[in-house]
Amino acid sequence: MFPAPFEYRKAHSTEEALAALAQGGSEAHVLAGGQSLIPAMRFRLAQPSVLVDINSIDALDYVREEGGELAIGACARDAAIERSAIITSRYPLLKDASAVIADPVVRQMGTLVGSLCHNDPAGDWPVVSLTGRAKVVVRGSKGSRTIAIDDFLVDSFSTAVQAGEMAIEVRFPTPGERTAGSYYKIERKVGDFATAAAGTRVTLNADGTIADASVAIGAVGPKAMRVAAAEKLLKGQKPTSDLIRAAAEEAKRLADPTADTRGSAEFKKEMAAVCVARALAATFGRLGVGGLS
Ligand SMILES: Cc1cc2nc3c(=O)[nH]c(=O)nc-3n(C[C@H](O)[C@H](O)[C@H](O)COP(=O)(O)OP(=O)(O)OC[C@H]3O[C@@H](n4cnc5c(N)ncnc54)[C@H](O)[C@@H]3O)c2cc1C
């Protein structure tokens, strides 16, 4: 199908984009990589009357470290994240995910910030961002707001971005010493959305006990979810296979998937546990505690 008619506005700066969004009101949508929005428009699931194209805002195309954080601009493509030397060397959680989102063609256009703004319950970046305790910087005519990712991801396909605002960047705290993370996704075939997915990040104390842990799951509920019970359970413990199994069990308990062509609800709950177990084992391996499963 063809999209419904719309007015197209190309922005060359954030200010131009915000002015166009303010003019368009609630009917104006940002066009980033277009990998979710354009298909939605073609199926007439989205019918924006104004499309504000931000692809020519070079100032928002960056992946850089500053002030103890990794900042990724709204126009940074998934492919740039996948190729980034900073991410490859220091952010394994993001590196893992960057290689399994859709396929290389989609990754040439899609953006991390666009994925968060879309907030698909099966999206990969929302899980990674919850795990990495990210913050999203949102700007509107009244100024900027910095929103913790847990508050940004409101519900399926719904976020804290208000009419007239746009997301400018996402910021991840730079992992400190003895910190590692990983992302694990089960998909039917390369290029598919997740059947289930999990992100984990762990910081160890000098004595090898767990100082801090993040666990999040995706594709098994209305939105990506933090598994707070698993995080609590891990804290203060020594990494063992029994501990991994107990944390995975918490993910299974929390998961609330719906059955579809990717599997039954029961199967997906099991897969959520499998993803958490594998992500945790990989995270511990990266911290030098190998051989766990
Ligand atoms: C074949 C195919 C397979 C895919 N497989 C996967 C997969 O396995 N995993 C996965 O996670 N995703 C997958 N996707 C989705 C893909 O990752 C999208 O790129 C992503 O969801 C949206 O990013 P985008 O930059 O294309 O945003 P767009 O499609 O341009 O926008 C998406 C939504 O976010 C809004 N938006 C975008 N940027 C901003 C901003 N800066 N401020 C405010 N609002 C904004 C738009 O208005 C729109 O409502 C797939 C897509 C395709 C076509």
Side-chain angles (χ1 to χ4, degrees):
M1 253 159 67
F2 291 107
F6 59 90
E7 187 189 331
Y8 173 82
R9 304 280 298 274
K10 192 184 191 98
H12 294 91
S13 66
T14 304
E15 291 67 31
E16 267 182 38
L18 289 175
L21 287 168
Q23 257 178 16
S26 59
E27 292 306 307
H29 279 222
V30 170
L31 174 68
Q35 298 303 298
S36 298
L37 182 56
I38 299 296
M41 288 172 68
R42 293 192 63 170
F43 285 110
R44 305 230 171 165
L45 296 169
Q47 300 194 20
S49 57
V50 181
L51 214 51
V52 181
D53 184 349
I54 62 168
N55 284 277
S56 299
I57 308 181
D58 296 339
L60 294 182
D61 184 4
Y62 56 84
V63 177
R64 62 188 179 220
E65 281 184 312
E66 53 190 21
E69 292 180 317
L70 172 75
I72 300 178
C75 294
R77 312 282 178 196
D78 291 339
I81 295 169
E82 191 180 4
R83 286 194 302 262
S84 158
I86 298 172
I87 287 177
T88 301
S89 62
R90 288 159 65 86
Y91 299 85
L93 169 68
L94 278 84
K95 177 69 180 177
D96 286 351
S98 70
V100 294
I101 290 168
D103 54 51
V105 177
V106 171
R107 297 201 291 269
Q108 287 299 324
M109 291 303 292
T111 65
L112 192 169
V113 171
S115 172
L116 295 182
C117 292
H118 188 54
N119 198 12
D120 189 316
D124 295 293
W125 287 128
V127 181
V128 169
S129 301
L130 276 176
T131 309
R133 310 250 168 101
K135 290 174 281 183
V136 184
V137 180
V138 171
R139 194 176 298 167
S141 56
K142 292 187 190 134
S144 292
R145 315 188 274 142
T146 300
I147 306 168
I149 191 68
D150 302 70
D151 300 323
F152 183 85
L153 304 170
V154 173
D155 206 346
S156 305
F157 304 107
S158 163
T159 71
V161 179
Q162 302 293 317
E165 290 184 326
M166 67 180 275
I168 300 298
E169 66 176 12
V170 58
R171 304 179 77 92
F172 288 85
T174 299
E177 244 190 298
R178 293 188 296 271
T179 299
S182 72
Y183 184 71
Y184 193 87
K185 169 180 180 176
I186 292 175
E187 54 190 342
R188 289 175 305 178
K189 59 184 172 60
V190 170
D192 196 17
F193 278 91
T195 300
T200 59
R201 196 190 65 175
V202 170
T203 302
L204 292 182
N205 291 310
D207 67 359
T209 55
I210 297 168
D212 192 22
S214 278
V215 180
I217 51 177
V220 288
K223 61 173 183 169
M225 297 182 281
R226 177 179 300 291
V227 191
E231 293 175 345
K232 194 169 162 205
L233 183 143
L234 288 162
K235 224 168 158 179
Q237 304 298 312
K238 282 239 182 209
T240 62
S241 294
D242 281 348
L243 188 65
I244 289 177
R245 275 193 287 278
E249 206 48 42
E250 293 297 347
K252 184 175 163 185
R253 227 189 301 281
L254 179 70
D256 185 21
T258 45
D260 61 16
T261 51
R262 292 183 177 85
S264 66
E266 206 41 51
F267 172 71
K268 290 185 184 184
K269 280 171 84 73
E270 291 291 343
M271 292 309 102
V274 168
C275 288
V276 167
R278 292 189 184 169
L280 267 179
T283 298
F284 289 138
R286 284 171 173 162
L287 289 165
V289 187
L292 304 180
S293 60

